[in-house]
Amino acid sequence: MNTYARLPVVFERGEGAWLWDTEGRRYLDALAGIAVCGVGHSHPKLTAVLREQVGKLVHTSNLYGIALQERLADRLAAMAGMESIFFCNSGCEANEAAIKLARYYGHQKGIESPAIVVLEKAFHGRTIATLSATGSRKVQAGFEPLVAGFVRVPFDDLPAVKRAADINRNVVAVLVELIQGEAGINVCHDGYLNGLRQICDAQGWLLMLDEVQSGTGRTGRWFAYQHSAVKPDVVTLAKGLANGIPIGACLAAGPAARLFKPGSHGSTFGGNPLACAAALSTLEIIEEENLMQNAVEIGECMRSGFAARLAGVEGVKEIRGMGLMIGIELTLPCGDLVAQALAKGLLINVTGDNVVRLLPPLNFSREEADLVLDTLTPLICGFLAAALRQPAARSA
Ligand code: PLP
């Protein structure tokens, strides 16, 4: 179906942070399949693991024990400080599991119409429930009626969450991205997570974090919440977890960990041997190659590099992010930059209309980072100079 406005390029092969198209042209990938290929394309160790697993066993179903799924669950539980895990195939499915957990939790407390606090501009997926949780009319329009049971509050606004608690006695959970990816790399303030934890504890709500984009090492820790001491009740993962082999996971601790019984939820493909072997190998590589530290260093170098080169440039509003989640906000829509960068052999993304988003592989090198700076800076400056010359753009 005609669901994507695709760029006019087809890739045939990849290696590390580089992709080659069908014409043999080489591109630097500063997007990594939208925060998916954290260890880069065709990582030799992961490739070997995948080859071996494909030759051994791909799928059996969740009717039977799956040793690799158990190993991955133990690994993730230890990394995240969580107790039990449900495996699925994507981010929206991981969030569906979280939404179901919250509702189940509410019903167990005798709340017949449980509600979940969600944030403005959030992105949680495109299934009917997750697009209802998403804070974007663009994603929702035309798909009404939306699923009920979501209470929306502004991003990074603790008093608004408190007011939601006062107004709506049916609230059972909050579902939050600590760094909003699709909305334009919006980072919540330092005390926000701690404040949310306090509200959740006081109200008996589940603190549920959508780490689909920010998880698996991208911000320099396994999960963005680990930059603080706060422990959530539910965490959702997907994207970078298996470097491109589809997988999603919903992790739970405390009461949420023990809610589901056989029959409460399920997935045919979820956590099959191939996906779990891919995830275990991806996590091992991130650890062995010290890629979270690299994400911190290269992310810092790219943000400070852009800050220095774009200082004083009219039309540049803010450069922000954490680790290798980088956003450059301009004062006007800049979608055209994507095609301009592509023409220069660089893959980037523009989200929230006016934010250049960079999500390179976690093993991005200093030279590759410099190449992004060298290529993108003049493109941004040229784009802004031309756009700001037009009176209509000035007032936009
Ligand atoms: N949650 C967040 C924070 C995301 O960024 C995304 C995808 O961009 C999703 C959920 C949905 O994930 P998927 O596309 O795998 O369903």
Side-chain angles (χ1 to χ4, degrees):
M1 294 188 190
N2 188 25
T3 49
Y4 305 101
R6 295 180 197 271
L7 290 156
V9 64
V10 178
F11 298 113
E12 201 166 58
R13 145 179 106 79
E15 206 180 298
W18 294 88
L19 286 166
W20 283 261
D21 72 9
T22 44
E23 313 293 309
R25 220 183 138 212
R26 193 170 85 131
Y27 299 79
L28 180 57
D29 186 0
L31 199 57
I34 323 181
V36 168
C37 307
V39 305
H41 302 286
S42 313
H43 190 288
K45 181 170 172 173
L46 175 60
T47 304
V49 166
L50 290 176
R51 284 205 170 110
E52 194 191 331
Q53 192 59 44
V54 166
K56 213 152 111 191
L57 187 66
V58 169
H59 178 85
T60 52
S61 92
N62 284 301
L63 294 173
Y64 314 105
I66 302 174
L68 284 160
Q69 190 184 113
E70 284 172 30
R71 261 181 62 202
L72 178 60
D74 287 345
R75 180 88 167 85
L76 285 174
M79 282 160 51
M82 300 305 244
E83 292 164 44
S84 70
I85 299 175
F86 174 80
F87 288 103
C88 49
N89 315 285
S90 63
C92 61
E93 278 178 88
N95 287 331
E96 286 274 347
I99 292 164
K100 280 183 71 173
L101 263 184
R103 287 185 164 202
Y104 211 67
Y105 173 73
H107 281 277
Q108 301 233 322
K109 295 208 299 186
I111 297 173
E112 272 179 33
S113 296
I116 301 171
V117 173
V118 289
L119 304 192
E120 284 172 8
K121 297 190 187 165
F123 185 83
H124 297 299
R126 290 174 180 277
T127 59
I128 291 293
T130 57
L131 74 79
S132 303
T134 289
S136 154
R137 277 308 293 157
K138 221 158 116 184
V139 171
Q140 295 172 341
F143 300 107
E144 297 85 356
L146 300 180
V147 170
F150 295 105
V151 176
R152 196 165 307 281
V153 300
F155 178 69
D156 203 20
D157 183 345
L158 286 171
V161 179
K162 284 199 189 106
R163 278 195 298 279
D166 295 337
I167 295 166
N168 193 327
R169 302 312 302 165
N170 287 338
V171 172
V172 294
V174 293
L175 174 62
V176 167
E177 292 163 272
L178 294 176
I179 305 177
Q180 292 186 326
E182 299 305 297
I185 316 291
N186 299 328
V187 186
C188 65
H189 76 270
D190 266 353
Y192 184 70
L193 181 57
N194 200 24
L196 275 186
R197 181 71 274 177
Q198 284 174 18
I199 298 171
C200 287
D201 287 345
Q203 301 292 334
W205 296 351
L206 299 178
L207 174 55
M208 310 203 297
L209 300 180
D210 179 343
E211 295 246 17
V212 166
Q213 193 162 144
S214 58
T216 329
R218 183 145 291 278
T219 68
R221 298 275 162 91
W222 282 122
F223 311 108
Y225 69 84
Q226 290 177 329
H227 292 275
S228 78
V230 173
K231 269 191 60 182
D233 301 299
V234 175
V235 177
T236 58
L237 302 177
K239 284 195 181 280
L241 186 51
N243 215 55
I245 302 297
I247 191 169
C250 177
L251 291 60
R258 297 178 288 276
L259 282 173
F260 282 171
K261 312 265 179 306
S264 303
H265 200 37
S267 163
T268 297
F269 294 125
N272 79 14
L274 180 65
C276 292
L280 281 162
S281 175
T282 302
L283 299 176
E284 210 170 279
I285 293 166
I286 292 174
E287 197 158 66
E288 275 172 9
E289 298 186 2
N290 216 3
L291 297 188
M292 288 183 271
Q293 185 56 32
N294 192 62
V296 171
E297 286 166 16
I298 299 294
E300 196 40 53
C301 138
M302 289 178 79
R303 268 186 298 278
S304 58
F306 278 118
R309 293 173 191 221
L310 295 172
V313 174
E314 192 188 355
V316 176
K317 194 164 169 195
E318 193 184 20
I319 294 150
R320 57 178 177 252
M322 259 179 121
L324 285 173
M325 285 184 92
I326 300 167
I328 304 166
E329 181 173 352
L330 307 186
T331 55
L332 67 175
C334 58
D336 290 353
L337 277 170
V338 173
Q340 291 181 16
L342 184 75
K344 299 271 179 209
L346 174 66
L347 305 185
I348 61 162
N349 174 250
V350 166
T351 191
D353 283 343
N354 61 334
V355 182
V356 176
R357 178 172 54 160
L358 305 173
L359 302 161
L362 306 183
N363 54 7
F364 220 47
S365 69
R366 186 64 198 250
E367 292 70 36
E368 287 159 348
D370 285 342
L371 192 51
V372 174
L373 288 162
D374 290 346
T375 311
L376 195 50
T377 307
L379 286 181
I380 291 176
C381 293
F383 170 82
L384 286 170
L388 290 167
R389 250 183 264 125
Q390 296 166 10
R394 232 176 237 285
S395 58

